Amino acid sequence: MKQVYTTWLTTLLLFSSVAPLWAQELPIYDNNANRIDITHFQQYLENNQELEEQNSIGSLPTAVFKYQSDTLSTQAINQARLNSDVFEDYTMTIQLPEMPLAQDTLIMMVAVPSSNSEVDDYIINVAVIENQGAKLAYHFDSDNDYSFADEGRPYVFKTKQGIKKVEIRRETDADVRSFYMYDLALMPAFLARYGIKVGKSSVVNNFYYPMLNRHGRLSLQLRANFGQGDHTITYQTPSLSREIAASLDAISQFGVSLTYALYNLNVGGFIQTEGNQIGQTERYTFEGGVRSIDYGFGNWPRRRIIYGAELSYDFRVYNNIYLAPVIRYGTYRFRSDEVFVTNIGVNLNEELTYNEIFQNRSLYSLGGQVKFPLGEKALLLIEGSWMKNSYQLNPDFIQETVEEGSLSFDYKAITFGIGVQWILLGQ
């Protein structure tokens, strides 16, 4: 019993010593769990892009934690970097700015290198980040005296510019030091680890940080589409011409897609069921300049399963609203495989079923999706598509002499619908 008690006490002491590291001092890169999409921000960087990436908060020794005291220690950076020997242990006292609108306050400590790359010289710069509810306001210490009383108004990032070059010059410095700051409001998942919410970031990612970006992701889509179409078969004999037609007055499609994306190119597969409400069905016969019509002609297929491959690309048009052209190619199989002919003496095979009549079936569809954010891992889809179906007609189906080159088919549909996309893995 004494040994068990000793083991529990040792475990408790171990966790209590590690707690400050995970509860307060978190690095900007926490094993890539809260990775900043630096590629997205590179368009805003100036001149030497490689140098500026090295001098960003995503690469410099950085610690972010909630404000608790005016006295700070370099241990915060050492703990965040998991190496207590990087910077000499010393403390500093900061003078906070006036923040009448603050709901929460974060402190960020950054080790800023010298402008001379040949000199291994760092200073510890402090920024005060004020959460004003709808936005973050940044107080930067441009002279590195740890007093913000003389720094003027805070900086607020513009909607579509999530990066700022922060310049620092102490009274004793000959040259200006600088680092690149990213707007933490673009990383709601990172802020959530401190219990901080900015605007609606905890529910919907309304910020400029892209939900769909260059990193790999596995996504699942569920869709419901509705539309109309038509299906015609035309041919000529030596004495007449015929057209067999059906209108697809109401098409209902329910589909699933599973895709993997890299650099916003989505590749995967899909499967969907389709039900058709058949409207008018006629056979038109043209002979000697006279047209005759057989109404209610044929038992047309009403249900089928469609499956195949899918390709799309996500273009971001505004904030986290995306436009994605979509191409699908596949095949299909009719369900409830029944005979087509219900009348006798119509010069069509009375025994062949749908899947025997329509052979070598294929289809392709061209369309697009507009995607709106529903949450950190979900998007609402609005989709429209045009579908073209192809097949080869069983040569035994038409029991008349068909003139060569006269047989043709037209089987197409247009649909619109709504769906949801979930990001299962990645991001």
Side-chain angles (χ1 to χ4, degrees), residues 19-77:
L21 170 62
W22 296 106
Q24 296 178 14
E25 292 84 21
L26 293 177
I28 293 298
Y29 278 85
D30 180 13
N31 296 326
N32 289 331
N34 296 304
R35 187 183 184 92
I36 303 172
D37 187 7
I38 292 180
T39 298
H40 165 64
F41 296 109
Q42 285 177 357
Q43 58 183 309
Y44 303 114
L45 298 179
E46 306 168 1
N47 302 326
N48 192 331
Q49 182 170 294
E50 181 178 357
L51 176 61
E52 289 151 1
E53 283 187 45
Q54 294 173 358
N55 279 3
S56 71
I57 61 169
S59 56
L60 294 174
T62 307
V64 180
F65 47 92
K66 268 195 170 184
Y67 169 79
Q68 293 181 333
S69 169
D70 290 347
T71 302
L72 308 179
S73 171
T74 54
Q75 288 184 0
I77 286 187

Side-chain angles (χ1 to χ4, degrees), residues 127-390:
V128 177
I129 305 170
E130 173 190 357
N131 177 19
Q132 296 182 352
K135 60 187 177 182
L136 295 182
Y138 294 81
H139 301 265
F140 296 112
D141 185 11
S142 59
D143 55 5
N144 211 67
D145 63 354
Y146 304 121
S147 173
F148 296 88
D150 57 350
E151 294 296 338
R153 295 172 61 86
Y155 181 82
V156 177
F157 283 91
K158 297 179 181 178
T159 303
K160 290 190 176 182
Q161 187 168 354
I163 186 171
K164 173 180 173 57
K165 183 178 182 180
V166 180
E167 295 186 341
I168 304 162
R169 178 176 240 165
R170 299 177 300 180
E171 293 183 355
T172 57
D173 286 339
D175 299 318
V176 174
R177 300 171 186 252
S178 65
F179 69 92
Y180 283 81
M181 177 69 192
Y182 296 106
D183 188 2
L184 298 185
L186 305 175
M187 296 170 283
F190 181 79
L191 293 177
R193 301 189 68 169
Y194 302 98
I196 291 180
K197 301 176 183 178
V198 180
K200 299 180 180 179
S201 62
S202 62
V203 180
V204 178
N205 190 340
N206 283 330
F207 298 98
Y208 198 58
Y209 179 78
M211 291 179 64
L212 307 180
N213 52 51
R214 66 189 183 95
H215 301 299
R217 61 180 177 274
L218 182 68
S219 296
L220 177 71
Q221 287 189 3
L222 298 181
R223 302 180 307 276
N225 289 39
F226 307 92
Q228 294 181 328
D230 55 68
H231 189 175
T232 61
I233 303 171
T234 60
Y235 62 92
Q236 293 181 356
T237 71
S239 59
L240 53 82
S241 62
R242 297 191 192 275
E243 178 181 314
I244 307 172
S247 64
L248 312 179
D249 288 351
I251 299 174
S252 301
Q253 298 173 340
F254 300 94
V256 179
S257 295
L258 185 66
T259 61
Y260 185 80
L262 191 62
Y263 290 93
N264 278 346
L265 179 65
N266 303 273
V267 180
F270 75 96
I271 184 171
Q272 64 187 42
T273 63
E274 180 183 280
N276 300 319
Q277 179 179 323
I278 306 298
Q280 292 181 338
T281 59
E282 297 98 2
R283 183 175 72 168
Y284 301 92
T285 301
F286 301 88
E287 184 176 11
V290 178
R291 186 183 75 168
S292 60
I293 304 175
D294 298 316
Y295 294 100
F297 188 88
N299 178 31
W300 293 81
R302 298 175 183 273
R303 294 183 297 276
R304 61 177 179 167
I305 296 178
I306 305 170
Y307 52 92
E310 178 176 315
L311 181 69
S312 66
Y313 188 88
D314 295 311
F315 292 97
R316 187 164 43 154
V317 294
Y318 179 75
N319 284 357
N320 270 316
I321 300 176
Y322 298 84
L323 177 63
V326 181
I327 301 174
R328 297 187 181 104
Y329 180 83
T331 185
Y332 53 94
R333 181 173 180 82
F334 295 107
R335 300 168 58 195
S336 300
D337 197 14
E338 303 172 4
V339 296
F340 181 87
V341 177
T342 57
N343 301 326
I344 300 175
V346 294
N347 299 312
L348 297 176
N349 191 299
E350 301 172 6
E351 298 179 355
L352 294 176
T353 60
Y354 303 142
N355 290 312
E356 294 172 335
I357 296 170
F358 306 103
Q359 300 177 341
N360 299 323
R361 299 172 293 273
S362 65
L363 61 81
Y364 67 89
S365 69
L366 305 176
Q369 295 177 337
V370 181
K371 304 181 180 183
F372 303 91
L374 286 177
E376 293 182 359
K377 297 289 184 179
L379 298 104
L380 172 69
L381 310 175
I382 297 178
E383 177 178 293
S385 68
W386 177 83
M387 179 181 293
K388 175 74 172 179
N389 302 267
S390 301

